[in-house]
Amino acid sequence: MATISPKEIQTLDYTRQRLAQLTNSLDSLKNQILASDPLPPWSSLHTLSQMISVNLTRVAEHLTEHSALLSSLAAYPLPSYPGREQEPLLNQLLRKKLEPHVEDWVEEGRRAGEEVGDAEGWMELWEWAGREETLEEVVKGGGGGGEDGEKEEEEVDDEGGDGVVGETGQGTGTLQGKGEEDKEPMAMEEVLRFLMKGEEVKR
Amino acid sequence: MHELLLFGQVPSSRHDQVLNILAGVAAMQPVQVLEKHLVFKPNRLPASARPVQVGGAQDIQKSQVQALQAQNQGDLFYLRLVAEPSSTTLKGQGDGGLNAKVEGSDEIMLDVREANGGLVGDIQSTAPTEGDSQTWTLQYRDLPEVVQPGRRQITSRLMADIPITSGDPVQFMKALDYTHTATYLLAGHRFTHLSASILLHRLFLPAKPFQEIFNVSSKDISQARLLDPSGTYILQAAVRVQDGSKVETMTKGSLELLSLKETLKGVVELDMGDRLALDTRVR
């Protein structure tokens, strides 16, 4: 049996800290959801979810960095360990396989990951999630992206819109896509003047 | 009747989004609107044709002549003829139908007006229609009222929509000595939210002269050119008030319109229209 160096103990301790932080943030999210009715405010949910994702990333980074050490380690109790009093903890420490319900979680997570993992799933997700953001960009004077980017965004926008409105959206929709985007909109006054008198302002 | 109005502009890239939002606000699916507008300008009587006043102030005039003179001196207004295809045409079944034009003498016209439903049906079946299943409306819009600073920022104007039940409206306008100056197509969607009518639309200039556009169809739209090349949509929110002299109803209407403006804040900025741009007087 090789003894572990203080540096390796430090790594282990660091793992413990990271995991503790992660459990803490998960706990506080759980508590907030349980405590407030109907739901905690949007902003606090957002902050918590960001904290959790930061913690998750740190844990994952740490685990991959020290994977060689961590996977080679094995736990075994010293004779001085109070085995009788701390039996459940001892069992948990010595357990090699995951507990059945934890295995179920892992399986569930893996399946969820596979679902969004394929290209189609990502497209679907982005059509749903990326829409508002891209729209905002289009509205902000044509956005900062290149031409191609803008066109893509528009397509996404169109598809999303038709789906909800149904067939009525098609009537006038045929004329979009003519590259009208580049032009400045007409002044409201000019349009109104035309509505009233039919005099077109030559530009 | 009075009309309270607010206007806004929607870039074409946001059209679908706004349509969805409006559908949510109004809790209804959009109703497609396709209208043909003909703008008519009145011809002022040439000075020589005006009745010449003779005999000084003592002159006794017939009341008719007086009315005519008053008309000549007053403002003249543009008028609009608006054709809307009946719902059957819009669905693509367009053949005569409910809004058939009755080609007939005054006698029949009177009959139609006084008739009960049964008789109307009879006339429709006997008088063949030429596929002209559109309803015409003669629209008059006054110059919007002056809004005092500090008052509610809403366009308010006198208006009248006169439905034309029979006859050739274009010939009628000619007989009234009005000249046809412009044709445009208005295409978009309409929502109704409480008492407000919300119209999200664009204007098209038809490729063909107006006489040839007998029935407005989406085919005409596809050949037409956009008035505004950027494809920007106009959002118009309107509340109509039957009696504009009643302050109470006018206030109620304006407040409703302003609350709609508040609801749509961040989606579309609604504002009152420029008074002089909405001027319908002939100069």
Side-chain angles (χ1 to χ4, degrees):
Chain A
M1 185 197 93
T3 47
I4 39 176
S5 64
K7 206 181 170 191
E8 283 164 341
I9 289 177
Q10 212 182 350
T11 315
L12 275 177
D13 198 45
Y14 194 70
T15 317
R16 187 183 60 79
Q17 278 175 19
R18 285 273 161 260
L19 285 172
Q21 274 175 7
L22 179 62
T23 6
N24 268 345
S25 49
L26 281 171
D27 259 353
S28 68
L29 174 67
K30 201 170 113 189
N31 285 337
Q32 275 215 14
I33 288 176
L34 282 178
S36 60
D37 183 44
L39 270 181
W42 172 90
S43 53
S44 79
L45 279 181
H46 183 70
T47 323
L48 278 172
S49 82
Q50 261 191 336
M51 263 167 63
I52 290 171
S53 84
V54 166
N55 283 331
L56 264 176
T57 332
R58 282 199 192 146
V59 169
E61 268 174 14
H62 181 73
L63 290 183
T64 32
E65 197 182 322
H66 302 282
S67 62
L69 169 74
L70 292 171
S71 57
S72 68
L73 284 175
Y76 71 97
L78 292 167
S80 59
Y81 189 84
R84 289 227 178 270
E85 290 93 72
Q86 299 289 341
E87 206 189 328
L89 185 61
L90 189 64
N91 274 336
Q92 217 164 29
L93 285 172
L94 291 179
R95 206 186 159 86
K96 291 266 166 71
K97 274 182 90 175
L98 294 171
E99 281 180 57
H101 69 278
V102 179
E103 253 176 13
D104 286 352
W105 289 347
V106 172
E107 185 56 31
E108 225 171 87
R110 192 163 287 154
R111 237 182 290 137
E114 271 165 14
E115 257 169 46
V116 286
D118 58 343
E120 214 174 295
W122 277 114
M123 278 306 287
E124 211 173 290
L125 179 68
W126 273 108
E127 255 175 49
W128 174 78
R131 213 179 133 197
E132 292 311 308
E133 203 180 22
T134 47
L135 269 175
E136 221 165 89
E137 211 169 298
V138 170
V139 176
K140 276 180 200 158
E147 274 245 289
D148 294 341
E150 257 174 63
K151 268 175 198 155
E152 263 173 39
E153 284 158 15
E154 251 170 74
E155 272 168 32
V156 170
D157 172 20
D158 284 356
E159 281 165 25
D162 283 352
V164 187
V165 181
E167 53 182 309
T168 36
Q170 293 162 4
T172 48
T174 45
L175 271 151
Q176 288 183 355
K178 267 189 180 174
E180 305 147 351
E181 287 309 297
D182 334 327
K183 292 166 191 160
E184 278 285 301
M186 213 162 159
M188 192 72 183
E189 281 72 38
E190 286 176 21
V191 180
L192 290 179
R193 196 161 279 144
F194 180 80
L195 261 169
M196 291 301 121
K197 292 189 175 175
E199 289 163 1
E200 200 186 344
V201 182
K202 295 272 175 268
R203 293 206 283 175
Chain B
M1 209 170 347
H2 261 73
E3 199 174 33
L4 304 168
L5 296 162
L6 285 177
F7 300 91
Q9 280 181 306
V10 179
S12 69
S13 59
R14 285 191 64 219
H15 171 254
D16 289 348
Q17 188 204 28
V18 172
L19 208 59
N20 279 329
I21 291 170
L22 288 176
V25 169
M28 65 179 284
Q29 288 291 308
V31 179
Q32 205 173 341
V33 177
L34 185 58
E35 291 175 352
K36 173 170 72 169
H37 288 225
L38 307 180
V39 182
F40 286 88
K41 183 186 181 177
N43 299 327
R44 227 179 247 279
L45 287 178
S48 60
R50 289 181 195 175
V52 186
Q53 211 167 356
V54 281
Q58 315 281 306
D59 192 20
I60 301 162
Q61 291 176 333
K62 283 181 189 165
S63 60
Q64 220 177 351
V65 178
Q66 270 178 343
L68 202 66
Q69 272 186 343
Q71 206 177 34
N72 265 327
Q73 281 147 17
D75 280 325
L76 290 171
F77 292 88
Y78 280 84
L79 287 177
R80 254 185 326 197
L81 269 180
V82 176
E84 225 177 324
S86 66
S87 50
T88 46
T89 340
L90 217 55
K91 282 176 199 152
Q93 301 165 353
D95 66 317
L98 290 164
N99 300 298
K101 194 170 79 178
V102 182
E103 304 268 358
S105 63
D106 291 350
E107 206 177 292
I108 296 177
M109 276 165 58
L110 279 175
D111 276 345
V112 174
R113 273 194 211 117
E114 288 161 12
N116 53 23
L119 188 51
V120 175
D122 281 345
I123 290 170
Q124 274 170 2
S125 57
T126 49
T129 56
E130 297 149 14
D132 180 16
S133 56
Q134 54 192 358
T135 48
W136 286 93
T137 313
L138 183 61
Q139 294 189 342
Y140 163 72
R141 299 285 180 269
D142 200 359
L143 173 71
E145 285 156 17
V146 182
V147 177
Q148 310 292 344
R151 298 286 303 275
R152 289 187 198 93
Q153 297 294 304
I154 281 183
T155 298
S156 156
R157 65 184 178 190
L158 193 67
M159 60 154 291
D161 276 7
I162 304 123
I164 295 170
T165 50
S166 64
D168 186 340
V170 179
Q171 282 304 319
F172 172 72
M173 293 308 289
K174 268 187 194 150
L176 278 180
D177 202 18
Y178 275 68
T179 328
H180 171 251
T181 53
T183 307
Y184 56 83
L185 300 170
L186 182 151
H189 295 95
R190 193 193 297 283
F191 297 90
T192 309
H193 176 57
L194 302 175
S195 337
S197 164
I198 305 168
L199 185 62
L200 182 64
H201 65 91
R202 283 201 283 200
L203 300 178
F204 292 89
L205 301 170
K208 289 181 277 184
F210 82 99
Q211 287 94 342
E212 285 175 39
I213 311 171
F214 205 56
N215 275 319
V216 205
S217 67
S218 39
K219 199 174 136 245
D220 292 317
I221 285 288
S222 60
Q223 289 167 359
R225 126 184 115 83
L226 276 166
L227 171 71
D228 183 351
S230 70
T232 306
Y233 284 79
I234 303 285
L235 184 70
Q236 178 198 295
V239 172
R240 286 184 183 179
V241 177
Q242 179 68 43
D243 189 351
S245 61
K246 279 188 184 160
V247 183
E248 211 177 299
T249 36
M250 287 294 270
T251 312
K252 212 174 156 192
S254 331
L255 286 180
E256 201 185 313
L257 214 51
L258 287 173
S259 83
L260 181 70
K261 175 182 175 173
E262 196 61 32
T263 310
L264 291 177
K265 209 169 201 171
V267 181
V268 185
E269 294 310 316
L270 287 174
D271 240 319
M272 62 183 295
D274 182 47
R275 180 167 174 268
L276 290 177
L278 288 164
D279 191 358
T280 49
R281 291 173 302 183
V282 177
R283 263 173 290 178

